[in-house]
Amino acid sequence: MLKNVVGVAVFAVAALTPVVSLAQEDEASLPYVYGIYYQCDMTRQELADEIVEAAFAGPYNAAVEAGQIQSWGWLAHHTGNEWRRLLYHSASDLDALFAALESTSEAVDEANPEMGRALGDICGSHVDYVWRYVVGSRAGDLPVDRGDAAFSVYYNCKMSQQRRADEIVKDVFASVFNKHVGAGKLSSWGWMEHMIGGEYRRIWTMSGDDHSNVLAARDGIYTELMESHEDTLQEFHEICYSHQDMMWDIVIEKP
């Protein structure tokens, strides 16, 4: 039953560690994220939070502690589209990513099969994605406290030019984002590429202590990009031509 509930996607899991550009990291070390955006019954979605805490947290925490996955989390809708909840986990490669999906699903099914069915009843549909990190405020595998608030921007991009968008983010935008990470600003940020899933080709994520700080940092970043890199920003928007914003509350996250 749980295998029909667990899917793929991500929100705000973008940056799990301190402020260092990934441009200098070997691409083979960049993690993958597997998660799901759920549509849920809004009258019972808080019960879904309780179910995840009671039945899912144990197997996922054990997978992190055993080194099978790097992180996992459960996020709740704050503002945005119809997605109400997000379950994600990250791993160093696709084999580990899918193996963890199987093992955690089996663990929940064996220990709490009724919980898996209850979650599927409350959150009965979903959209799946697998993402891969490109660049962000992450260095190695050292964890960082990302705060309680997350902001994601999901982009539709021209597939023939999306690699150019990655270059722009790495070579131009990353330094601006990094300047806005710190106390009272962003806790983390990340840029990820689509591997498997729905229509969105890229995702930009930010997190902070609260939504006010995240939104203020976002506005400051955009202002600086407009003032210092207007032509490059225009080129980026011509490649990634539309987007969907989402604000999330981080309910559970490990580490």
Side-chain angles (χ1 to χ4, degrees):
M1 173 65 69
L2 181 59
K3 293 187 180 76
N4 295 326
V5 176
V6 176
V8 176
V10 165
F11 115 71
V13 338
L16 303 175
T17 56
V19 183
V20 174
S21 172
L22 284 176
Q24 297 177 348
E25 289 192 66
D26 177 28
E27 289 193 359
S29 70
L30 300 178
Y32 295 80
V33 180
Y34 189 126
I36 175 173
Y37 297 102
Y38 287 106
Q39 290 180 302
C40 306
D41 179 348
M42 292 178 62
T43 66
R44 296 188 292 161
Q45 59 190 11
E46 286 78 14
L47 178 57
D49 300 340
E50 296 175 8
I51 290 170
V52 171
E53 176 68 34
F56 288 64
Y60 275 100
N61 287 342
V64 172
E65 292 165 3
Q68 297 169 342
I69 59 176
Q70 294 179 348
S71 64
W72 81 280
W74 176 256
L75 282 63
H77 173 280
H78 180 282
T79 303
N81 68 11
E82 71 275 11
W83 299 323
R84 304 302 305 177
R85 293 296 186 271
L86 168 63
L87 176 66
Y88 79 85
H89 69 276
S90 68
S92 58
D93 56 61
L94 288 174
D95 288 342
L97 200 71
F98 289 113
L101 178 67
E102 291 295 321
S103 62
T104 53
S105 297
E106 290 172 359
V108 174
D109 283 345
E110 290 175 3
N112 297 287
E114 71 285 353
M115 293 287 197
R117 289 190 289 269
L119 181 61
D121 181 56
I122 297 168
C123 300
S125 63
H126 64 270
V127 178
D128 294 338
Y129 280 89
V130 173
W131 304 93
R132 178 177 173 272
Y133 281 98
V134 175
V135 66
S137 55
R138 180 184 180 278
D141 296 319
L142 300 176
V144 67
D145 183 358
R146 292 198 306 120
D148 298 322
F151 189 100
S152 303
V153 185
Y154 302 89
Y155 284 99
N156 294 109
C157 305
K158 299 175 183 177
M159 293 180 65
S160 63
Q161 300 178 47
Q162 59 192 9
R163 294 298 180 195
R164 172 56 183 158
D166 297 341
E167 292 175 359
I168 290 172
V169 174
K170 288 189 288 187
D171 297 341
V172 180
F173 295 172
S175 61
V176 177
F177 267 81
N178 285 341
K179 288 163 57 178
H180 289 263
V181 176
K185 301 178 181 180
L186 295 180
S187 299
S188 65
W189 73 275
W191 175 258
M192 291 184 282
E193 64 176 326
H194 172 281
M195 300 297 292
I196 304 169
E199 65 180 291
Y200 294 114
R201 303 302 306 172
R202 294 294 187 273
I203 176 176
W204 217 329
T205 69
M206 292 163 274
S207 74
D209 291 337
D210 56 53
H211 292 291
S212 295
N213 284 341
V214 175
L215 291 175
R218 181 201 63 164
D219 292 345
I221 290 165
Y222 192 79
T223 297
E224 185 169 346
L225 291 176
M226 281 291 294
E227 292 175 349
S228 303
H229 306 286
E230 183 176 1
D231 291 344
T232 307
L233 185 62
Q234 180 177 347
E235 180 186 4
F236 173 83
H237 284 152
E238 288 173 353
I239 298 170
C240 295
Y241 52 87
S242 67
H243 68 273
Q244 171 69 55
D245 292 336
M246 283 289 296
M247 296 169 65
W248 300 95
D249 293 320
I250 300 175
V251 179
I252 305 172
E253 191 165 71
K254 185 178 178 67

